[in-house]
Amino acid sequence: MTQFTSHTLDTAPDAAKPIFDGVKAAFGFVPNLQSYMAESPELLAGYTALWDLFSKTTLSAHEQQVVYLTAIFENECHYCMAGHTTLARMQKMGEDVIAALRAGSELPDARLEALHRFATLVVHNRGWVDDAEVDAFLAAGFTRRNVLEVVLGVATKVMSNYTNHITHTPLDAFMKGNEWSKPTVA
C-alpha cells in the first residue's frame, strides 16, 4: 500500500503553509484530511476554495450539510461521514435527520428530503438528472440556482471523499463517537 504523508506546518510544502494557517484559524487545528491534501498544495487550495464558496451559497447551513452528507453516503467516505456528523450536531441539526442521512433513508422533513433525493441523483447518476427530477426539486421550493449549488457541494465532497479513499485518512479526535460504515441496503 502506498503511504501518504500527514503533513504538519513544519513538513508541508511552502505553498500549503498559508492555507494551513487559514484552516487552523477556522477549525483551531489542521484536520487529518487537510494534512494529507497538503502533499498537493493545489488540491488543498482547490478544496479550501470550494468549501468557502459552498458556505456562501443560498442554501442554509442545514441544507449544505444535507448535500454534503448525501454525497458522503453515496461516495462511502468513513472519514467525512464522521466529520460532517459532528459538524451537523454542532449546527443543531435534528438527530432524526442526521440518523436518516447516515442510514441513506428518507428524511423526516419534506423539503430536506427533496434536497436529499436530488443530491443523491446528482451523485449516483454523475450529473445526469432527468428533467422531471429537476422539476420536482424546483417544485419543492428550491431554485435553479440551488440546482447548481448542489453541484458545487457535490464537487467539494468528491475532492475530500476521493482523497480519503486513496490516503486512508484516519479519523480526528473530534469525530469520536461518530464513526460510520455504510449500512447494507436490502
Side-chain angles (χ1 to χ4, degrees):
M1 179 171 89
T2 303
Q3 297 292 320
F4 288 84
T5 302
S6 174
H7 285 282
T8 65
L9 191 55
D10 293 330
T11 66
D14 287 341
K17 290 179 180 182
I19 302 168
F20 268 17
D21 290 338
V23 169
K24 190 171 183 182
F27 290 99
F29 66 102
V30 176
N32 289 335
L33 168 64
Q34 286 86 343
S35 76
Y36 282 95
M37 283 183 164
E39 188 76 24
S40 168
E42 298 79 13
L43 173 65
L44 179 60
Y47 178 72
T48 303
L50 289 185
W51 177 279
D52 290 344
L53 289 169
F54 190 60
S55 74
K56 297 174 185 171
T57 64
T58 61
L59 295 169
S60 72
H62 285 183
E63 290 167 343
Q64 290 172 23
Q65 287 302 326
V66 168
V67 172
Y68 278 156
L69 286 160
T70 300
I72 291 162
F73 180 90
E74 292 299 317
N75 290 329
E76 200 170 338
C77 184
H78 304 96
Y79 179 90
C80 285
M81 184 61 81
H84 280 273
T85 297
T86 303
L87 293 174
R89 286 183 171 134
M90 289 170 65
Q91 294 174 349
K92 307 292 187 216
M93 180 181 273
E95 285 297 326
D96 54 345
V97 174
I98 294 170
L101 287 163
R102 288 173 57 94
S105 58
E106 187 172 328
L107 304 188
D109 176 279
R111 179 176 167 82
L112 293 180
E113 174 54 27
L115 177 59
H116 177 238
R117 176 171 171 70
F118 183 73
T120 298
L121 291 169
V122 169
V123 177
H124 185 74
N125 298 334
R126 297 185 314 270
W128 294 102
V129 180
D130 292 337
D131 289 343
E133 295 290 354
V134 174
D135 290 343
F137 181 63
L138 297 174
F142 290 96
T143 65
R144 293 187 314 269
R145 180 175 180 169
N146 296 146
V147 169
L148 300 177
E149 290 171 340
V150 168
V151 173
L152 175 61
V154 168
T156 305
K157 285 295 102 188
V158 164
M159 295 173 82
S160 61
N161 296 169
Y162 290 12
T163 296
N164 292 321
H165 295 333
I166 293 168
T167 63
H168 306 283
T169 311
L171 299 183
D172 292 290
F174 82 92
M175 300 173 183
K176 186 171 176 58
N178 291 322
E179 296 84 356
W180 177 81
S181 292
K182 188 171 185 178
T184 305
V185 178

